[in-house]
Amino acid sequence: MNDKQFNELLESVRDMGKHMRGEKVDGIRIREIPEPDVKAIREQTGLSQTRFAYLIGVKPKTLQNWEQRRVRPTGPARALLKIVEANPQALLALHS
């Protein structure tokens, strides 16, 4: 690693530190992605926690943790929740 590469890496680490402390970093755009309101999404379907959890492929305890915001859904679970939020009927079609 040459001096230029090292200095760029060091500057990146400093920028990351600023970002983690909530300080503004020039040239960085921050995009806030709202957390899904899992309980509201489930309630739109009218399903119990157990049935909703079964239909989206998670354990009821996982769903409870999401609803109580102890744990946040990630990746494919978030995508599926967005789909159910936009079209609860899609999930309800699986229920019948």
Side-chain angles (χ1 to χ4, degrees):
M1 178 180 296
N2 62 36
D3 285 346
K4 181 179 182 228
Q5 291 170 326
F6 177 79
N7 289 331
E8 288 174 357
L9 181 59
L10 184 59
E11 187 63 30
S12 295
V13 171
R14 288 181 179 142
D15 287 345
M16 182 181 62
K18 287 178 185 177
H19 173 71
M20 291 179 71
R21 289 188 299 274
E23 299 171 15
K24 188 174 189 305
V25 180
D26 291 332
I28 302 292
R29 287 189 329 205
I30 298 174
R31 185 170 177 213
E32 294 290 329
I33 300 173
E35 290 293 321
D37 186 344
V38 179
K39 185 174 183 179
I41 294 168
R42 178 184 59 81
E43 287 177 343
Q44 282 181 331
T45 67
L47 297 172
S48 68
Q49 284 182 333
T50 302
R51 190 70 182 146
F52 187 85
Y54 170 77
L55 289 174
I56 65 169
V58 299
K59 294 179 181 178
K61 189 66 175 170
T62 298
L63 180 65
Q64 290 168 1
N65 284 331
W66 289 348
E67 287 190 1
Q68 295 170 10
R69 299 182 186 263
R70 287 192 292 254
V71 178
R72 300 181 332 201
T74 59
R78 281 182 79 135
L80 181 57
L81 288 166
K82 287 183 90 169
I83 292 168
V84 173
E85 182 177 30
N87 185 4
Q89 297 306 317
L91 185 66
L92 293 173
L94 297 173
H95 183 55
S96 47

